[in-house]
Every structure is written in C-alpha cells, then in structure tokens.
Amino acid sequence: MKKIVVISDTHNNIRALEKIYPVLKESDMVIHCGDGAGDLKYFPDIKEVHFVRGNCDGLNGDELLLNVEDRKILIVHGHNFGVKSTLSRLAEYAKQKGADTVFYGHNHRAEFNEIDGITLINPGNLSKYSVNHSYCYVVINGKKLVYSFVPVGC
C-alpha cells in the first residue's frame, strides 16, 4: 500500500507547502505535476519526490511514468494536451503509453475523471494566484486507488 500526495501549480507558494508539510513528510511519495516543480527543494527530508515541469517552469514536454503497486501512472503538467478544454487527448496518450492512471495539472481545478478505462486526476492548485487551493491524497493498494481532494486555506 502506498500513500501519495499529489500537488500541482504551486507557483512558488512555499507558505502553502509549509501548511501541508506534515502530510508531505508522512506520505510514502509526493508527486508534483508542474508549475513550481522546484518548490519542493525547500523540503529535503521528504522521502520520495517525483515531478514534471510545467509551462511556467521553463521547459515543455516533461512527463514521467511510474509503476506504483499494480498501477502504471503517467505524470504530466497538461498544457501540451489542451486540458483546459478536453481530457480526451490526454486519455488517449495515456493509453498509448500503457498507463491506466494520469496525474496532471495546469487548469488549477481539482477534478477526477474516467475516460475509456483511464483514471485522470488533477489535484487542483496551491498557487498564490488562485482562490481555491487543494491537493489530492491518494492511496493505492494493488490495483485499487482511493483519492480525496483536500482543501488548503492559503
């Protein structure tokens, strides 16, 4: 069983990360879906960190594939897939990569979708430029995935 904190779009809001630091530290893994991907460097004692860069991180096209328990997870920021208007391109790309789960960001909205057998999760954002802030707490046990969006007051 793996406990994972998925965050995105922190945009250098270190204060928000400090608020959730106890959860970050106790989790088995932290995943950052871009736009502030380097923000976790301020917390070097977090066990396992994976991140991709977003459109505001200076590089485009970053992606990562992880095997967690019995799931294959694709991590992207989302800007290269038009996630502000549709998730179908991202779901199709995940299928091509052999992934059954996608963690993504970019649109600053916490959302869960299933498209053609692909689970897509956006944790929301922890940006200082937005009103609603959240992260996603995910537990994976074998093939089973349970998630919860957690609001954060910033």
Side-chain angles (χ1 to χ4, degrees):
M1 181 171 67
K2 290 278 189 183
K3 298 175 287 182
I4 305 168
V5 174
V6 184
I7 59 176
S8 188
D9 296 278
T10 53
H11 293 280
N12 205 30
N13 189 358
I14 305 308
R15 191 176 106 204
L17 291 171
E18 288 171 342
K19 283 188 171 189
I20 66 168
Y21 173 74
V23 179
L24 296 173
K25 189 158 172 45
E26 78 177 13
S27 67
D28 297 313
M29 180 185 302
V30 176
I31 295 174
H32 195 302
C33 298
D35 280 359
D39 294 347
L40 290 170
K41 69 183 175 204
Y42 297 103
F43 307 93
D45 57 340
I46 296 172
K47 293 178 206 161
E48 185 177 346
V49 175
H50 299 279
F51 65 89
V52 296
R53 290 171 179 84
N55 57 299
C56 293
D57 291 321
L59 295 174
N60 289 316
D62 220 5
E63 65 183 53
L64 184 62
L65 275 170
L66 293 177
N67 290 308
V68 178
E69 295 279 318
D70 296 334
R71 291 213 168 231
K72 189 167 186 179
I73 301 170
L74 173 66
I75 305 162
V76 299
H77 183 58
H79 61 293
N80 290 327
F81 299 95
V83 298
K84 288 186 177 182
S85 59
T86 181
L87 295 176
S88 59
R89 284 179 49 206
L90 182 54
E92 181 58 35
Y93 186 72
K95 281 187 108 166
Q96 290 172 12
K97 291 289 192 174
D100 54 28
T101 306
V102 180
F103 296 144
Y104 70 98
H106 187 59
N107 69 10
H108 290 210
R109 287 190 313 262
E111 54 189 11
F112 172 91
N113 290 281
E114 286 187 345
I115 299 173
D116 202 19
I118 306 295
T119 299
L120 300 112
I121 296 176
N122 183 326
N125 79 91
L126 293 174
S127 169
K128 56 189 167 193
Y129 307 113
S130 297
V131 177
N132 297 318
H133 304 95
S134 63
Y135 66 91
C136 190
Y137 192 81
V138 177
V139 176
I140 297 176
N141 189 359
K143 190 75 170 158
K144 184 175 181 177
L145 181 148
V146 178
Y147 72 96
S148 179
F149 295 115
V150 182
V152 178
C154 292

